[in-house]
Amino acid sequence: MTIPFIDPDPILVRAWEEVRAFLNSAFISAFLSALAGAGLGVWGAQRVTERSARRKELLDALRQANALVVLAATISNQALAMKKQHIAPLSERYFQERKTAESVNATILEGGRPPTSTAFKAEMVYITALTVPIDALKNIAYSAQLMPGRALALVAMVEQSLTEMGHAIDIRSKQIESFKARSVTQEVTMQDYFGLKRRDGDTDSLYHDSMVAITEYTDDVAFFGAELADEVQAHASRVRNRLVKLAKVVPEVSTVDFSNPRGSGLMPPREKYESWLAGFRGKG
């Protein structure tokens, strides 16, 4: 079958030529170029805005981390100083004398007479609770940018240890007041001071338990404060490494060094806290 050829409509041909001419005109070329440029401009502006926001986030995070390093180190160092000057000498004398008191008290409970040469000195010196920037530490840590979960857990441990330490110091102070106010025999005073059984079978261990708690929680404050300082210092280094790619001028990382108290044995060993540390191993 032969398909007949139909001449195109002259009007349509002329209209199509006018459209082609319009599309190829300088106006359309400029319009399309401007449209493309506007799209690239919006994309570029968005990239600049995102980069600026990221740079500010990292800079804030670094500054917050540096502040936390200083605060955590301050708390740990105060606990270490208190331990060295007061807690360690006091507790060492107390627990050493308690060993002798246990032997003497065993003789008493068996009906014998204690050696007349045995004498004990009750340490009635008050301990002042630590005054540390725990509120500032908490405020910065809980509002900080990009703070690792392990660091937040360490902040909670520092706060809890300080609270328990203060409670133990308060109990000891009240026990000292009680010792001074009551009139009992030297035998009962010795038994209650060292937390030993009396002839009636009762045991008043409040003073002894407070001494144990003060010793333990002082170590806890020192250890967790130092661990927090180290953790946040490492976090600050990671943040700074990311920030140098976005900014020309970047603050340095605040650094602390606990090698001396660790080496001297003043800082409690990590093995003592292995169960806690194991729960956060490899976590950020």
Side-chain angles (χ1 to χ4, degrees):
M1 182 180 66
T2 303
I3 300 176
F5 177 76
I6 302 176
D7 292 331
D9 189 335
I11 297 177
L12 293 178
V13 171
R14 187 166 57 253
W16 170 242
E17 290 177 348
E18 291 177 355
V19 169
R20 287 176 56 189
F22 177 73
L23 292 176
N24 292 326
S25 67
F27 172 78
I28 288 298
S29 297
F31 174 76
L32 293 176
S33 297
L35 186 63
L40 290 174
V42 171
W43 179 82
Q46 183 178 359
R47 290 283 295 173
V48 170
T49 301
E50 291 174 353
R51 185 181 179 89
S52 177
R54 185 58 174 165
R55 182 168 57 245
K56 182 179 184 305
E57 180 186 41
L58 291 173
L59 183 59
D60 288 345
L62 178 56
R63 288 171 174 166
Q64 290 161 342
N66 279 341
L68 285 177
V69 169
V70 174
L71 291 172
T74 298
I75 292 174
S76 181
N77 283 327
Q78 285 186 256
L80 289 171
M82 183 177 183
K83 176 183 178 179
K84 183 177 181 180
Q85 297 170 11
H86 303 293
I87 304 302
L90 179 66
S91 61
E92 286 172 5
R93 288 194 300 268
Y94 175 80
F95 292 113
Q96 187 62 42
E97 286 197 337
R98 189 175 188 272
K99 294 178 182 178
T100 304
E102 287 177 325
S103 177
V104 171
N105 196 56
T107 301
I108 292 174
L109 296 181
E110 291 171 359
R113 297 187 63 180
T116 55
S117 60
T118 304
F120 301 101
K121 179 183 178 182
E123 298 278 1
M124 297 297 174
V125 178
Y126 290 96
I127 299 173
T128 302
L130 283 175
T131 302
V132 297
I134 186 61
D135 288 336
L137 182 80
K138 289 165 51 183
N139 289 339
I140 295 176
Y142 295 147
S143 62
Q145 308 254 12
L146 310 175
M147 190 56 53
R150 187 174 186 273
L152 297 178
L154 285 165
V155 170
M157 292 304 298
V158 171
E159 181 185 22
Q160 179 183 339
S161 300
L162 283 167
T163 300
E164 296 292 349
M165 180 184 177
H167 180 62
I169 290 174
D170 185 57
I171 290 177
R172 179 179 178 275
S173 297
K174 290 179 180 177
Q175 284 301 105
I176 290 176
E177 293 297 324
S178 176
F179 283 132
K180 291 180 177 179
R182 62 184 181 174
S183 298
V184 295
T185 64
Q186 290 185 348
E187 175 186 309
V188 173
T189 298
M190 178 200 72
Q191 291 165 336
D192 290 353
Y193 179 72
F194 291 111
L196 302 174
K197 184 185 291 187
R198 298 192 295 251
R199 292 180 188 268
D200 59 7
D202 291 338
T203 301
D204 183 348
S205 62
L206 276 176
Y207 185 88
H208 168 263
D209 292 348
S210 71
M211 286 296 298
V212 173
I214 290 170
T215 304
E216 292 294 321
Y217 286 121
T218 302
D219 274 353
D220 290 354
V221 173
F223 178 82
F224 287 118
E227 196 72 15
L228 175 61
D230 287 343
E231 174 72 18
V232 180
Q233 181 177 315
H235 164 66
S237 296
R238 293 191 296 268
V239 171
R240 190 179 188 279
N241 289 338
R242 295 157 67 183
L243 185 57
V244 293
K245 300 175 182 179
L246 302 175
K248 295 181 179 179
V249 180
V250 179
E252 295 295 330
V253 173
S254 297
T255 59
V256 293
D257 183 7
F258 290 99
S259 58
N260 284 338
R262 284 173 176 147
S264 67
L266 184 61
M267 182 77 74
R270 293 179 64 83
E271 292 76 14
K272 182 179 177 181
Y273 302 92
E274 188 59 34
S275 61
W276 190 93
L277 294 172
F280 285 91
R281 186 169 289 122
K283 297 181 181 181

